[in-house]
Amino acid sequence: MGKTLAYKILENHLVSGELTPGEEITIRMDQTLTQDSTGTMVYLQLEAMDAEKVKTELSVAYIDHNTLQTGFENADDHAFIESVAKRHGVIFSKPGGGICHHVHLENYGAPGKTLLGSDSHTPTGGGLGMIAIGAGGLDVAVAMAQGIYSLTAPRVLGVELTGALQPWVSAKDVILHVLRELSVKGGVGKIVEYYGEGVGTLSVTDRATITNMGAELGATTSVFPSDENTRAYLASQGREAVYVPLSADADAVYDEVLRVNLSDLTPLAAMPHSPDNVAEVAGLAHIKVDQVGIGSCTNSSYTDLMKVASILKGRQVHPEVSLVIAPGSAKILSKLAANGALADMIGAGARILENACGPCIGMGQSPKSGAVSLRTFNRNFKGRSGTNDADVYLVSPETAALSALTGTITGGAEQAAALGVSLAEIPPETFAEVAAFKVYSADTNTANTDVVMGPNIKPFPRGTALEDTLHGTVVLHTGDNITTDDIMPSDSRLLPYRSNVPHLANYCFEKIDPAFPARAKEAAGGVIIGGDNYGQGSSREHAALAPLQLGIRFVIAKSFARIHRSNLINSGILPLTFADHADYGQLALGSKLVIADARSQLESPEILVRDETAGRTFAVVGGFTELEKRMLLAGGKINEIAGVI
Ligand code: MIC
Ligand code: SF4
């Protein structure tokens, strides 16, 4: 039986376990990446493990999320990360270098390699034929310290691409279509692998747009073959030497298959407030637009921005639209500056932002009250833009640029022709590294560098060994698809506190229920009840650490998103699923729950929970692997490593 590309790469990296879907495996991690908003925690944890020089081939620390520096906090975090990077032989990419995923694709990604990143969009590397996985910070710290990562072997969903995209339809429309077909939980427990004749019509940056937003499917990762387009991309970055051709066997068998004819696709938009709420752009033409944002790790490549510049050239942004553009990296920005494209954008009335995450994570450019904001980004969860009543639509760069000109949602060849806009050919380019943004290469590390800790950097909470009788009061009862943005919001006000969990915890679930932190503290042992896909979205382990700080002992949900479930276990909080979904409705705020013999019950397929308020007992499922059980007994991953039982 032929092998999928995903399983070939996993097999090459297998350290232990049986490579069968559902089994726990440990794989070698060739590379890691961190960014600053999750990175401070990663490096505090790395220090807590007394780690020495990293055990990976390459580890990079990027600064791209918190670059506003509205107070000393961000800059202190940068200095801390820089000092720890130097101690452990980690390459440090200074603020201004660009968005982690984009810079990694340009400078370090390589076909056939594995990459673990403390950011959910790490699968961007799948565009280069890597197995690139997003994980919680602690998992990334362990990958740096030990060079390994344990996960449940996923199933492989094959997406067969045929045909070729029509003009004015692009990679963003491909992934929006896949999201429409599969939903935000359609990828859970799976690797999404693209294959078929349509693959060759997509460039590496197109592929990276698609694998990047595979995170929104809840997938473990997404991967494309490595072919002549991969070689061309690597050559354009001066790195052809790392090219290897890679693909699935011709007779590879996929666990599931989705067929997509690229020729049939039309411009699409994800409507408020979920990336899978997808509609045809043609049906949204009546919607007036207030703001357009172009950039983020999804759509800020050189080609994307050159297309935008060619649409804007010699024209003017609609008077009632604010257009903001953030390029993906210093390489791209300097090229746009040198070839005049930047002047075309500015001439049309675009506001050029720093090449960083910026508005994608609510760091500035919050739209006005009740605004419609069209963004080329990957998430449109309610309130993520910083404006709770804004309506955010996710679209391609072509649709974003046309809409910025007309002031209403506009996309597609017919509309472009009616406006007299044609897309210029983008000639291939070569890019030189902007070396000024890279500090310390891996071989110049100095283990005796002092760690620089600003006053806002506080110790992170640690779990304690699992008690035999677990008491908990229900302090929150939520619906389906709760995001990590709901659990631990992020914006320009809160991001500066990512290294100060005690402070951050006061804002936990702020947008859903501002009274939650006080209630949880008072309960001194709380339980959260969730619906389906609890914890989707970001990899931020703050969404587990803040509840830990507030005394949460366990979370019972209908189902969990992969990274958040791991983050809860890493922190020593039990993620449990209802054996019977009907029990979800039986629980209410204030219900007093008890898990007796919790330590031994971890071993059983079902765990019994006593609802003392209602006087009934119901069953939940842990489904824990051996390693997960050890971590939960110890009160979290760090304790497990330190030998706590
Ligand atoms: C995001 O897009 O939500 C982030 C910000 O990049 C996060 C990481 C974080 O919360 O810091 C992610 O996707 O993992
Ligand atoms: Fe940054 Fe946005 Fe990408 Fe997250 S999704 S890494 S915030 S650009």
Side-chain angles (χ1 to χ4, degrees):
M1 193 172 84
K3 287 184 185 149
T4 61
L5 172 57
Y7 267 55
K8 286 187 192 184
I9 302 176
L10 289 175
E11 196 173 88
N12 274 339
H13 289 81
L14 194 64
V15 174
S16 64
E18 191 191 321
L19 195 47
T20 308
E23 292 297 315
E24 177 164 85
I25 53 167
T26 299
I27 55 172
R28 193 163 34 80
M29 274 297 159
D30 300 321
Q31 305 185 349
T32 61
L33 71 76
T34 59
Q35 41 88 339
D36 49 321
S37 73
T38 54
T40 44
M41 256 332 124
V42 176
Y43 295 107
L44 283 170
Q45 287 155 341
L46 191 68
E47 285 295 308
M49 283 187 275
D50 283 333
E52 293 169 3
K53 189 173 186 305
V54 292
K55 298 282 190 307
T56 50
E57 290 172 9
L58 173 113
S59 288
V60 191
Y62 295 95
I63 306 290
D64 55 357
H65 279 61
N66 304 337
T67 56
L68 270 188
Q69 298 172 221
T70 43
F72 63 91
E73 294 88 353
N74 290 170
D76 281 2
D77 282 350
H78 303 171
F80 165 69
I81 293 176
E82 182 173 352
S83 66
V84 185
K86 194 171 180 185
R87 268 165 76 79
H88 298 283
V90 173
I91 296 170
F92 180 71
S93 170
K94 283 173 80 173
I99 305 174
C100 56
H101 308 302
H102 215 91
V103 184
H104 206 84
L105 200 70
E106 291 173 338
N107 298 321
Y108 306 110
K113 296 281 182 191
T114 51
L115 165 68
L116 195 71
S118 67
D119 189 282
S120 62
H121 291 102
T122 305
T124 311
L128 266 180
M130 306 181 82
I131 289 291
I133 302 177
L138 189 45
D139 285 317
V140 178
V142 171
M144 282 194 259
Q146 302 177 355
I148 53 170
Y149 173 60
S150 302
L151 73 161
T152 306
R155 293 188 296 136
V156 184
L157 186 157
V159 180
E160 186 188 10
L161 300 178
T162 53
L165 293 170
Q166 306 281 347
W168 295 94
V169 183
S170 68
K172 183 61 154 280
D173 302 306
V174 179
I175 187 62
L176 289 177
H177 171 74
V178 175
L179 273 155
R180 172 168 62 178
E181 293 293 307
L182 300 178
S183 90
V184 287
K185 48 182 190 178
V188 175
K190 302 173 196 168
I191 294 183
V192 182
E193 177 169 320
Y194 292 83
Y195 67 99
E197 69 186 43
V199 166
T201 66
L202 300 170
S203 68
V204 163
T205 49
D206 288 340
R207 297 173 189 180
T209 295
I210 295 170
T211 58
N212 170 285
M213 262 190 101
E216 276 53 68
L217 294 165
T220 303
T221 189
S222 303
V223 65
F224 269 87
S226 166
D227 58 10
E228 281 309 310
N229 293 359
T230 319
R231 184 206 292 276
Y233 176 80
L234 290 168
S236 77
Q237 305 293 331
R239 298 197 300 121
E240 198 176 346
V242 303
Y243 171 71
V244 280
L246 292 174
S247 61
D249 291 335
D251 58 345
V253 179
Y254 292 94
D255 296 305
E256 277 168 72
V257 170
L258 174 71
R259 296 202 159 79
V260 179
N261 184 345
L262 297 173
S263 318
D264 290 344
L265 298 183
T266 52
L268 297 172
M271 301 188 294
H273 297 285
S274 178
D276 63 356
N277 188 17
V278 173
E280 307 275 328
V281 162
L284 305 174
H286 57 286
I287 298 175
K288 193 176 163 314
V289 174
D290 302 288
Q291 183 193 50
V292 175
I294 297 178
S296 90
C297 53
T298 316
N299 279 120
S300 59
S301 68
Y302 174 73
T303 323
D304 280 346
L305 296 188
M306 285 303 290
K307 281 189 216 161
V308 168
S310 87
I311 295 168
L312 296 179
K313 185 173 179 157
R315 302 186 169 82
Q316 277 198 4
V317 168
H318 189 278
E320 283 160 30
V321 173
S322 168
L323 169 65
V324 294
I325 301 178
S329 71
K331 271 188 187 178
I332 297 169
L333 181 56
S334 78
K335 201 57 136 189
L336 298 176
N339 71 12
L342 206 52
D344 294 336
M345 293 171 172
I346 298 167
R351 302 163 67 180
I352 308 300
L353 304 181
E354 186 175 11
N355 39 329
C357 298
C360 179
I361 186 61
M363 289 302 262
Q365 302 302 326
S366 297
K368 68 181 182 192
S369 297
V372 168
S373 177
L374 234 59
R375 299 174 163 215
T376 65
F377 312 164
N378 46 38
R379 290 185 175 146
N380 59 345
F381 303 141
K382 193 170 167 52
R384 182 175 160 102
S385 65
T387 306
N388 220 22
D389 63 358
D391 276 347
V392 177
Y393 292 74
L394 306 175
V395 295
S396 69
E398 292 88 334
T399 300
L402 281 180
S403 308
L405 295 177
T406 61
T408 54
I409 299 183
T410 311
E414 230 171 85
Q415 295 296 321
L419 293 166
V421 185
S422 52
L423 274 180
E425 262 307 298
I426 320 281
E429 275 291 343
T430 53
F431 298 82
E433 188 173 2
V434 187
F437 289 103
K438 181 173 112 181
V439 188
Y440 313 122
S441 62
D443 38 353
T444 59
N445 81 95
T446 27
N448 56 2
T449 309
D450 286 335
V451 173
V452 180
M453 286 255 215
N456 182 49
I457 301 178
K458 301 283 189 248
F460 57 91
R462 295 266 288 259
T464 47
L466 188 68
E467 296 150 65
D468 220 16
T469 309
L470 267 189
H471 289 272
T473 307
V474 175
V475 285
L476 194 71
H477 195 291
T478 70
D480 289 345
N481 292 321
I482 286 294
T483 71
T484 49
D485 281 280
D486 293 327
I487 304 172
M488 200 53 263
S490 261
D491 53 24
S492 55
R493 192 178 41 116
L494 294 180
L495 264 182
Y497 297 100
R498 281 294 184 92
S499 38
N500 185 346
V501 177
H503 178 78
L504 211 54
N506 297 321
Y507 301 89
C508 193
F509 281 107
E510 186 194 27
K511 294 202 168 100
I512 290 192
D513 183 349
F516 169 78
R519 195 160 57 234
K521 274 186 205 162
E522 200 192 316
V527 180
I528 296 171
I529 304 300
D532 255 328
N533 201 23
Y534 179 85
Q536 67 161 330
S538 145
S539 67
R540 66 189 69 144
E541 58 193 347
H542 303 78
L545 291 173
L548 178 67
Q549 178 81 38
L550 297 171
I552 299 300
R553 302 279 169 80
F554 48 103
V555 181
I556 313 179
K558 290 184 185 165
S559 66
F560 287 89
R562 175 185 64 91
I563 305 180
H564 185 60
R565 179 179 179 279
S566 299
N567 284 339
L568 288 171
I569 295 173
N570 287 350
S571 309
I573 298 177
L574 269 79
L576 303 165
T577 52
F578 289 103
D580 178 354
H581 284 192
D583 290 322
Y584 164 86
Q586 301 287 322
L587 296 164
L589 270 190
S591 297
K592 300 259 183 241
L593 307 183
V594 183
I595 303 182
D597 302 322
R599 291 182 72 90
S600 55
Q601 281 220 65
L602 274 195
E603 292 297 336
S604 356
E606 288 196 337
I607 296 173
L608 296 179
V609 183
R610 177 86 189 146
D611 178 348
E612 291 191 325
T613 313
R616 57 189 285 276
T617 299
F618 62 97
V620 295
V621 178
F624 304 118
T625 66
E626 290 307 315
L627 175 60
E628 289 173 344
K629 281 182 215 161
R630 287 204 303 278
M631 292 197 276
L632 287 169
L633 288 173
K637 187 163 187 146
I638 294 214
N639 291 353
E640 193 268 335
I641 293 172
V644 176
I645 344 168

